Structure formats: C-alpha cells, structure tokens
Amino acid sequence: MVDHPPRLADIAHRQQDLVTRVQLLQAGYDDMFIYRQTRRGRWQRVLPATYALVTGVLTDEQRRISAALYAGRGAQLTGLSALSWYGFRYSPRTTDVHLLVPHSTSRKSTGHVLVSRALSLDPNARATAHYPVCSPARAVVDAARDLRDLRTVRAIVAEAVQRSFTDLAALDEEIIRARRSRTALIRKAFHEVTAGARSAPEAELRDCLAGSRLLPEILWNPRLTTGDGCTLPTPDGYLAGSALALEVDSREYHFSPDGWARTLDRHNELSRLGVMTLHFTPAQIRREPRRVRRTVEQAHASRRGLAAAVAVHAAPAAGC
C-alpha cells in the first residue's frame, strides 16, 4: 500500500483513483516506480500514460474519466457514451467511450477510447466535474452516424423527443451541421418524427402499410372528435373510410397496470362509437409485416362504407 503525497492523494480522490503519468511525476514518482507498481499488480495502466491506483474492473464513470484524462482538455463526451450518461433507455450499450476532440489534437483511438476530431466542438456541451458532455442533440446525431440499423436510430430519435431530452429544432440544426456525412439514417428517422411518428415501432408500422395497394390514406395520430365536438382518444393510425383504428402496443407502457387500464379505456371509448381497433406489438410488426398488412387490409375491406354510421370525425394531426 503506497502512502501518496497529500496533493496526489487529493487528485486521486477527485478523479476516482485515476491519474496521469504527468501527475505521478509531479508527485515525485519516477517511471521505474510506476512500472514496478503496475508490474506487481498494485496499479493498472488503463490507457497510454493513464493509470488507475486500484485494481479490479473500472466502473463506467471511471472509464469515462480515464478517457478524458487520456484525451486531454477540451475533449467532449458524445455518441452512445453521452446517451448512456443522459439515461437513454433504448440506445445500445457500449463499453467504449466516444470523445470529440479539437481537430488539431493528435490523440488517436486506443483501448476503450474512440476519438473523433472535429472542426467545431459542441458550444452547448454541459460541464461536469471531469469532462464536458455534448448536448443531447449533438450526441444523438453523433451516435446515429456510427450506427447501421434504422430501427435503433428511430428508437433513439423518438426517445430524445418524447422524453424531452431535446427538441426537433436542435436536432435539425445538428443534422444540418453534419451535412451528408453518414447521416442518411438520422435524416430518415428525423423526417418520420416530424411527420408525426411518436415511436420507432409506429414508424415501422407506417413502413409496413405504405406498401399496400389496397389501403387508402391513413391518418397518423389524428384528431378524433364526436359529432358534438368532444375530443376522443388519439390512436396511432386511423382509416376514416372504415372507422378503423390502429394501435402499436409497447411492452413498457401497456404491460404496466396503469398503462393497461388506460389502453382499455381508449379502446372502449372508441368501440362504443363504432370504431374498430386493431392492436399490434412491435415484435409482430417487425417479424410478420405481411401478416400485419393483410390483417389491416381485410379489416378495412370488411368495414368499408361504415364511416357514415359512426359518429366520429377525423382530422390530420396538427402540423401534418
């Protein structure tokens, strides 16, 4: 057990037992001593010129701190690493730490650090005790540029907006800043959200039904009212000609007691007025899109012309 000099002990405490080679040299240790400590397993070299004064597996925060110490001043946490820091639920988990650094910096990716040099860092980054964190909008766009799966990008964008991590204007600004560099997926997902899609499964349902030659225009997230102007629950999709409502049932929402009760209330409220509601799970939409499309087509065909007998008026969602 090494009894560190007071100044180094204070630094190590603030940096969660992570220090740089420069800090160790300034404390009076030389390279041979550092080498012996790591060779004996008392310390560990986690990145070039970056050491943990403890053994064992580093926590997520220790990995982020070590990455920031390695990259140097000005490095900003971004991408999936920043989304995890913010608490996104649907972004992929990774042990890598993605950092933005000034373009003039010579640091390269190594170990668990992914370094991206940028001409302009995020002016809206949030300061923390150990590193700046890019704004949610910048982090979402940076994460999406490294992903290859549209479904995942949809989920991230939808969550960012639905949970108010950011807004459409900020996302649009970051997409424009990124130009055309690996932004095809984020542009598509952003277009879907601006068109009214409230979740990734809902966007997948739209794609699924868009290929139908039998279905008329579907109103997504429409405004439904009774004949006397009372507001009705808003389904995910609605076919006005057949008074047919479409709902995507998310496991997280609908499997909770309160969520399930609200779903039943919505269903019953529409049913008493003559609207038929079809429910689909994200898994059904993803795995059996033809079956889902066929179910909607057949239900629409069987109810065609019933709209006149249903006292429900439908209008497009505001802004659509």
Side-chain angles (χ1 to χ4, degrees):
M1 186 73 176
V2 177
D3 188 13
H4 302 299
R7 186 169 181 274
L8 179 64
D10 180 61
I11 291 173
H13 176 72
R14 286 188 284 108
Q15 296 176 176
Q16 297 194 19
D17 292 316
L18 293 153
V19 295
T20 64
R21 172 178 174 271
V22 170
Q23 290 171 333
L24 289 171
L25 295 178
Q26 290 175 343
Y29 300 136
D30 58 26
D31 285 324
M32 182 55 69
F33 181 81
I34 297 172
Y35 170 77
R36 288 172 178 167
Q37 289 296 100
T38 55
R39 182 67 179 270
R40 294 168 180 168
R42 296 172 181 171
W43 296 349
Q44 53 181 317
R45 177 182 178 274
V46 295
L47 290 166
T50 309
Y51 298 86
L53 304 185
V54 293
T55 58
V57 179
L58 300 184
T59 66
D60 289 343
E61 179 65 1
Q62 284 177 316
R63 294 172 75 83
R64 291 189 285 260
I65 294 172
S66 65
L69 291 174
Y70 161 75
R73 294 179 61 85
Q76 298 178 340
L77 192 71
T78 192
L80 295 178
S81 308
L83 299 186
S84 177
W85 185 88
Y86 279 112
F88 273 63
R89 298 171 185 165
Y90 301 117
S91 64
R93 292 293 173 257
T94 177
T95 56
D96 292 329
V97 178
H98 189 181
L99 295 175
L100 282 184
V101 299
H103 198 268
S104 58
T105 301
S106 60
R107 287 288 191 243
K108 298 180 180 180
S109 298
T110 185
H112 60 268
V113 184
L114 299 178
V115 172
S116 295
R117 287 195 288 274
L119 292 174
S120 60
L121 298 181
D122 185 2
N124 300 313
R126 305 185 183 185
T128 74
H130 304 292
Y131 44 77
V133 183
C134 283
S135 64
R138 179 67 175 262
V140 165
V141 174
D142 284 345
R145 293 172 71 187
D146 290 330
L147 295 171
R148 298 293 179 267
D149 177 47
L150 177 58
R151 185 185 309 143
T152 304
V153 175
R154 280 170 167 161
I156 291 173
V157 173
E159 181 176 8
V161 176
Q162 285 294 306
R163 295 183 61 200
S164 299
F165 285 112
T166 187
D167 56 33
L168 293 176
L171 276 174
D172 190 34
E173 182 179 338
E174 287 299 332
I175 293 172
I176 293 172
R177 178 201 56 77
R179 300 181 181 178
R180 295 287 175 178
S181 176
R182 297 176 288 127
T183 58
L185 297 185
I186 185 72
R187 287 176 185 276
K188 179 172 177 56
F190 178 78
H191 175 73
E192 292 169 346
V193 171
T194 56
R198 297 178 295 188
S199 67
E202 182 185 313
E204 291 176 5
L205 179 61
R206 293 188 185 205
D207 279 353
C208 168
L209 300 181
S212 174
R213 297 180 180 180
L214 304 178
L215 296 176
E217 178 187 7
I218 299 174
L219 298 177
W220 296 103
N221 305 310
R223 289 175 289 142
L224 301 185
T225 56
T226 61
D228 56 4
C230 293
T231 301
L232 294 170
T234 299
D236 293 321
Y238 189 72
L239 289 84
S242 54
L244 180 63
L246 309 175
E247 288 276 13
V248 179
D249 291 341
S250 166
R251 176 186 299 269
E252 177 183 8
Y253 176 80
H254 294 279
F255 280 18
S256 68
D258 290 343
W260 180 242
R262 284 192 292 269
T263 298
L264 291 178
D265 286 342
R266 285 156 54 90
H267 186 118
N268 293 339
E269 181 69 9
L270 294 176
S271 294
R272 74 178 181 84
L273 296 172
V275 175
M276 177 182 181
T277 304
L278 296 179
H279 295 265
F280 302 103
T281 66
Q284 288 175 318
I285 298 168
R286 188 175 308 130
R287 298 170 186 170
E288 303 176 283
R290 293 182 181 178
R291 182 166 174 262
V292 168
R293 186 187 307 130
R294 186 168 60 251
T295 299
V296 176
E297 289 173 342
Q298 292 174 346
H300 170 69
S302 70
R303 292 175 57 81
R304 189 176 299 154
L306 291 179
V310 176
V312 173
H313 299 285
C320 292

